[in-house]
């Protein structure tokens, strides 16, 4: 009986130690669980894209950290971490083509960044003889996981494939967005009978209006008063006067659009994007400026969705922000016209028989001559010119 009782007590003590180990072990148990991250959802008109990695095997990530992005021909979609942990495997090579619902990367779950300080503070806090070994055990998987997962070769994948050919020459693979831009621009030249008409605008009154009211405008609306709102409203008025410029050819029919949805060309590091300001005919100056500001932030952050760029009826391209003096913009399909704004420069001009120095801007309207005749194009551009030179006509509705 004594032997049985002693054996029972030993078994009970072992079970107690096992429960204690389990309690201590559950802290790091999740470190061996992995989560597979799949391709994020694509817009309806997009079926594939190229993956670009921002992280490598062995890198620690927190929830919603950007691991990489899938670059399509229209928009870039971020791949984010659904859990905190360490990247253990990249299932797709950098630059490879991916499709919806494809496995991309595996993440070993665990608070990797916080594990090291916690392990360091635990031994200092507990000085009793038995607990330290059990408390030190969790640190081992963390330190083991790092070297095991750190094979540096994948860290070196280049975001863009480059090859040297001779002195001073470099070859890079074009991104999907750049390829799509090239295809659309060349397709525009091949499809449209493009013709460009020019005019010049005296920006004196527009500058005076902005300088006089920019501070109260900013205080009330929270955005700066620029020239884009004036041009957008001028274009909306001119398009309603000349609806053929807002129309488009569809087979053997002409489709007239009642809404004025203006695409604004924005240059980003990844290429040219054209987010759309919708229903400009119903917007105020403040509405236009707020929308432009919001779309500009999204474009710079790479957060534009496909819906932000679909459905424009007319495009503005402002090369003036880069100091352009003159240029002929290319029509943005499937639209029928595009207005090119350029830099504002002081030039001598004849006014009432006198030579005066005025801030002048050249503007260019490129239009599809299959649909729009020269009379409508020139009338449209002169309407924009008159509106900018004397904004009072907008409020008088003349």
């Amino acid at each position: 009986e004594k032997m049985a009782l002693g054996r029972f007590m030993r078994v009970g003590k072992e079970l107690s130690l096992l429960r204690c180990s389990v309690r201590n072990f559950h802290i790091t148990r999740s470190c061996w669980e992995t989560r597979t991250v799949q391709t994020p959802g694509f817009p309806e008109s997009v079926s594939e894209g190229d993956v670009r990695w921002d992280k490598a095997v062995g890198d620690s990530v927190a929830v919603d950290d950007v691991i990489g992005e899938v670059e399509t021909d229209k928009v870039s979609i971020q791949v984010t971490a659904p859990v905190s942990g360490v990247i253990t495997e990249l299932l797709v090579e950098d630059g490879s083509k991916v499709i919806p619902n494809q496995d991309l990367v595996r993440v070993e779950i665990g608070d990797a960044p916080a594990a090291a300080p916690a392990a360091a503070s635990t031994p200092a806090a507990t000085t009793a003889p038995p607990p330290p070994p059990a408390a030190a055990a969790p640190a081992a998987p963390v330190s083991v996981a790092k070297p095991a997962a750190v094979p540096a070769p994948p860290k070196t994948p280049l975001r863009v494939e480059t090859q040297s050919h001779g002195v001073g020459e470099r070859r890079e693979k074009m991104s999907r967005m750049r390829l799509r831009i090239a295809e659309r621009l060349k397709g525009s030249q091949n499809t449209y009978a493009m013709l460009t008409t020019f005019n010049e605008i005296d920006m004196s009154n527009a500058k005076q209006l902005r300088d006089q009211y920019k501070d109260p405008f900013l205080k009330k609306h929270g955005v700066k008063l620029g020239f884009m709102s004036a041009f957008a409203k001028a274009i909306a008025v001119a398009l309603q006067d000349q609806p053929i410029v807002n129309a488009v050819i569809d087979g053997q029919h002409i489709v007239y659009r009642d809404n004025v949805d203006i695409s604004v060309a924005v240059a980003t590091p990844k290429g040219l994007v054209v987010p759309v300001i919708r229903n400009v005919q119903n917007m105020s100056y403040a509405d236009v400026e707020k929308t432009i500001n919001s779309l500009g932030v999204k474009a710079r952050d790479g957060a534009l969705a496909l819906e932000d760029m679909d459905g424009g009826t007319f495009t503005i391209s402002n090369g003036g922000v880069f100091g352009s003096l003159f240029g002929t913009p290319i029509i943005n399909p499937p639209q029928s016209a595009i207005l090119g704004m350029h830099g504002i420069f002081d030039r001598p001009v004849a006014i009432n028989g006198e030579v005066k120095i005025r801030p002048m801007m050249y503007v260019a309207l490129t239009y599809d001559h299959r649909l729009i005749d020269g009379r409508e194009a020139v009338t449209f551009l002169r309407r924009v010119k008159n509106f900018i030179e004397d904004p009072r006509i907008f409020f008088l509705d003349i």
Side-chain angles (χ1 to χ4, degrees):
E1 290 179 0
K2 288 183 179 180
M3 291 178 62
L5 180 60
R7 191 177 296 112
F8 178 77
M9 292 178 67
R10 283 197 301 274
V11 170
K13 188 179 293 185
E14 289 174 0
L15 287 173
S16 178
L17 289 172
L18 181 59
R19 282 196 298 270
C20 179
S21 298
V22 169
R23 281 198 303 271
N24 291 326
F25 181 74
H26 88 279
I27 298 172
T28 57
R29 177 177 57 84
S30 62
C31 293
W32 282 272
E33 293 181 4
T34 60
R35 178 73 64 86
T36 301
V37 183
Q38 293 187 329
T39 309
F42 285 179
E44 290 185 6
S45 60
V46 177
S47 59
E48 63 182 28
D50 294 336
V51 66
R52 305 288 181 186
W53 295 121
D54 294 329
K55 301 285 187 180
V57 172
D59 285 351
S60 300
V61 293
V63 176
D64 292 332
D65 276 359
V66 177
I67 301 174
E69 64 181 14
V70 178
E71 187 180 74
T72 72
D73 56 4
K74 295 181 179 179
V75 68
S76 293
I77 307 168
Q78 291 182 340
V79 180
T80 57
V83 294
S84 297
V86 178
I87 296 175
T88 58
E89 188 177 4
L90 298 176
L91 304 175
V92 179
E93 292 185 2
D94 188 82
S96 299
K97 181 173 71 175
V98 295
I99 59 176
N101 302 319
Q102 180 176 343
D103 292 346
L104 297 181
V105 59
R106 289 197 177 96
V107 179
E108 189 177 85
I109 302 173
D111 299 326
S121 61
T122 305
T126 56
T127 52
V142 177
S143 59
V144 169
K146 286 266 183 182
V150 157
K155 186 73 177 178
T156 22
L158 298 172
R159 288 186 60 81
V160 193
E161 268 185 48
T162 61
Q163 293 180 341
S164 297
H165 294 277
V167 179
E169 184 175 321
R170 190 162 58 99
R171 183 180 294 266
E172 293 185 356
K173 181 181 178 181
M174 293 176 69
S175 67
R176 276 181 174 267
M177 186 177 290
R178 175 52 59 186
L179 285 168
R180 180 60 174 164
I181 291 171
E183 178 186 340
R184 284 174 61 84
L185 291 178
K186 190 56 186 173
S188 177
Q189 286 186 322
N190 294 340
T191 301
Y192 295 121
M194 284 192 281
L195 187 62
T196 304
T197 184
F198 303 93
N199 216 315
E200 59 181 359
I201 299 177
D202 184 345
M203 298 294 293
S204 299
N205 288 332
K207 290 187 70 174
Q208 182 182 358
L209 180 70
R210 186 188 66 173
D211 293 342
Q212 183 175 352
Y213 295 107
K214 62 181 180 181
D215 292 334
F217 188 90
L218 176 61
K219 183 178 180 180
K220 180 175 181 179
H221 301 291
V223 291
K224 294 181 179 180
L225 176 60
F227 295 128
M228 285 298 293
S229 54
F231 272 93
K233 292 301 298 180
I235 287 168
V237 171
L239 287 176
Q240 290 176 317
D241 288 349
Q242 301 293 329
I244 192 67
V245 182
N246 202 42
V248 66
I249 293 176
D250 183 14
Q252 297 183 355
H253 298 83
I254 299 174
V255 180
Y256 291 89
R257 277 85 65 95
D258 296 328
N259 292 336
V260 177
D261 299 333
I262 298 180
S263 304
V264 180
V266 178
T268 70
K270 296 177 183 177
L272 190 69
V273 294
V274 280
V276 180
I277 310 171
R278 305 189 188 281
N279 297 314
V280 179
Q281 76 279 2
N282 298 328
M283 300 176 77
S284 66
Y285 275 55
D287 293 334
V288 174
E289 292 292 355
K290 288 177 182 178
T291 305
I292 290 175
N293 184 66
S294 173
L295 292 173
V297 171
K298 292 175 73 173
R300 288 192 297 271
D301 294 343
L304 283 174
L306 195 61
E307 307 83 63
D308 295 324
M309 296 180 283
D310 273 352
T313 63
F314 186 91
T315 295
I316 300 176
S317 176
N318 186 7
V321 296
F322 306 110
S324 170
L325 175 65
F326 214 70
T328 55
I330 298 175
I331 296 173
N332 177 27
Q335 300 169 14
S336 298
I338 178 173
L339 180 76
M341 298 168 56
H342 301 93
I344 302 172
F345 300 100
D346 288 342
R347 289 192 287 111
V349 293
I351 299 176
N352 297 325
E354 297 180 358
V355 176
K356 294 186 178 181
I357 304 298
R358 292 292 179 90
M360 304 297 294
M361 174 195 287
Y362 287 117
V363 288
L365 177 73
T366 299
Y367 58 97
D368 185 0
H369 206 3
R370 300 176 305 164
L371 176 65
I372 304 167
D373 292 330
R375 181 185 64 179
E376 286 81 9
V378 172
T379 302
F380 169 89
L381 196 56
R382 284 193 60 84
R383 182 70 163 145
V384 172
K385 168 186 169 69
N386 294 338
F387 185 101
I388 299 297
E389 290 187 339
D390 189 359
R392 293 173 297 181
I393 65 176
F394 171 71
F395 303 104
L396 296 175
D397 191 23
I398 57 175

